[in-house]
Amino acid sequence: MPDVLPLETEIRRRITAAGPMPVAEYMALCLADPEHGYYTTRDPLGARGDFITAPEVSQMFGEMIGLWMAAVWKQMGAPENLRIIELGPGRGTMMKDALRAAKVMPDFRDAVVLHLVEISPALEEQQERTLEHLHTPMYWHPALTDVPKGPAIILANEFFDALPVNQAVKTEYGWHERRIEIDAASNLVFTIAPDPIPQFDRLLPAALRKAPAESIFEWRADTVAMELGRRLTRDGGAALVIDYGHIESAIGDTLQAVGQHAFADPLTAPGNIDLTAHVDFQALAKAAEAMGASGFGPLDQSQFLRRLGIETRAATLKAKAADTASADIDAALTRLIGEDRAGMGALFKAAAFANPSLGVPPGFEG
């Protein structure tokens, strides 16, 4: 078989040795394999990469997050040593813009110690270059559990969608785990486990138990969400999660692959394309709240950013900009808060979690 990628060779070896591979295992290998994983071997962001996130669209996004953090810090009682934890910081663009905007509150900036949770050596180097001029103490960690205890603000922008997702397919006999095998033509293809998952119906939300045959249900491990809720409840603070997904648990196959800003087959070029799946905000909230945290939202990204004042910020930037730059600002604002298919405003959601003593975080009132 010509031009088989090294990671695909390993995946085929594992399937041959152990049988069809669960979707979550496949996704974890594709994204996080230490030698050949998509996130561990490259910078996937920007025009030369495979996708563009909101912080790369405009500085306004990060600036709104910076003002949100400063307001939360005041709600927390202005602790002198604040851990700002970002899960999956990308190039560091959002944090750079956020902390620049937060200069309007010098006491807040002086309290900040950055803790960046990152598995990619390539992105870690980029983050250091992006943020070194801020002269803020910075530490990197492979997981949230490695960050030291203490009052924290946690940010997760397009992080949860990249966590491995499990899938089950309904048949007349029950729900079967969806897996990946090698077919007679030597292609990677989807299949299902021969036996249904015991008592799976009892784990499903009640509204989904009567789903028709061939329905697909997705779920993720609750590990990160539970740790987030546990940390906030124990140490104080708040978390902001912005991602694309559905407000309530739902049926549907949302696993998708993107390469060079175009959709691709998830089973082609493993390790060379990005794999994501929609975030189930209902399940995320259930896990965090089970640890004692209070949940808020989710809101559409459009509503959240408008409440934080992004339109006013755009007007301020335009007042100081040349005509060509003014048009760019309008286009970026439309991309961030637009609610049509080209915009991120309705597809992306914002949810917050907080220590119960904090009250309602900014933007989630009402």
Side-chain angles (χ1 to χ4, degrees), residues 29 34 66 88 246 267 301-302:
L29 283 170
H246 36 270
L267 300 185
Q301 177 173 293
S302 174

Side-chain angles (χ1 to χ4, degrees), residues 1-86:
M1 185 178 297
D3 301 325
V4 176
L5 294 167
L7 185 59
E8 182 172 346
T9 299
E10 172 62 13
I11 288 168
R12 288 174 175 273
R13 185 193 69 78
R14 293 192 187 196
I15 292 173
T16 301
M21 177 180 289
V23 170
E25 181 182 345
Y26 174 81
M27 188 172 175
L29 283 170
C30 288
L31 298 182
D33 179 79
E35 290 186 58
H36 306 296
Y38 179 79
Y39 285 127
T40 54
T41 57
R42 74 200 68 217
D43 174 358
L45 298 162
R48 295 183 180 180
D50 291 321
F51 56 89
I52 296 177
T53 60
E56 306 290 335
V57 171
S58 169
Q59 69 184 65
M60 295 183 288
F61 183 84
E63 289 170 346
M64 294 300 102
I65 303 306
L67 298 178
W68 184 87
M69 289 195 297
V72 169
W73 174 74
K74 288 186 69 175
Q75 277 187 289
M76 293 169 64
E80 293 183 1
N81 186 352
L82 174 71
R83 289 145 187 77
I84 290 185
I85 305 168
E86 186 173 3

Side-chain angles (χ1 to χ4, degrees), residues 49-262:
D50 291 321
F51 56 89
I52 296 177
T53 60
E56 306 290 335
V57 171
S58 169
Q59 69 184 65
M60 295 183 288
F61 183 84
E63 289 170 346
M64 294 300 102
I65 303 306
L67 298 178
W68 184 87
M69 289 195 297
V72 169
W73 174 74
K74 288 186 69 175
Q75 277 187 289
M76 293 169 64
E80 293 183 1
N81 186 352
L82 174 71
R83 289 145 187 77
I84 290 185
I85 305 168
E86 186 173 3
L87 309 180
R91 292 174 169 175
T93 304
M94 183 176 78
M95 190 59 68
K96 176 193 69 175
D97 293 334
L99 292 183
R100 185 186 65 250
K103 283 184 177 179
V104 297
M105 292 182 64
D107 290 346
F108 167 69
R109 287 285 280 106
D110 291 343
V112 167
V113 177
L114 284 182
H115 292 272
L116 306 173
V117 176
E118 181 58 72
I119 63 167
S120 167
L123 286 175
E124 184 177 319
E125 290 179 10
Q126 178 64 56
Q127 291 153 17
E128 188 168 13
R129 288 194 297 269
T130 300
L131 299 171
E132 61 185 355
H133 73 282
L134 297 174
H135 306 297
T136 299
M138 288 184 286
Y139 301 91
W140 279 264
H141 310 276
L144 179 57
T145 50
D146 298 312
V147 179
K149 297 178 182 178
I153 294 175
I154 304 173
L155 304 175
N157 179 61
E158 291 200 55
F159 171 80
F160 282 94
D161 67 85
L163 294 183
V165 68
N166 304 280
Q167 292 186 322
V169 181
K170 188 174 184 182
T171 74
E172 60 181 307
Y173 304 107
W175 290 88
H176 301 246
E177 183 179 45
R178 199 180 194 203
R179 297 177 178 176
I180 293 155
E181 68 174 356
I182 303 169
D183 70 4
S186 199
N187 298 312
L188 295 178
V189 294
F190 288 108
T191 186
I192 61 173
D195 298 319
I197 304 169
Q199 305 296 318
F200 192 76
D201 267 331
R202 299 179 65 179
L203 303 175
L204 282 173
L208 306 181
R209 291 173 187 169
K210 294 184 179 180
E214 299 186 13
S215 295
I216 293 177
F217 180 74
E218 299 175 333
W219 75 99
R220 289 181 167 89
D222 291 331
T223 312
V224 179
M226 292 176 72
E227 174 60 20
L228 183 150
R230 182 185 300 113
R231 178 176 290 269
L232 296 177
T233 302
R234 182 190 65 206
D235 299 337
L240 179 64
V241 176
I242 300 178
D243 223 315
Y244 64 92
H246 36 270
I247 293 174
E248 296 182 342
S249 300
I251 295 297
D253 177 9
T254 71
L255 180 66
Q256 64 181 29
V258 175
Q260 295 296 308
H261 300 272

Side-chain angles (χ1 to χ4, degrees), residues 203 205 222 225-226 280-292 353:
L203 303 175
D222 291 331
M226 292 176 72
D280 182 342
F281 278 95
Q282 182 178 358
L284 177 65
K286 184 177 179 181
E289 291 169 5
M291 297 294 101
F353 303 94

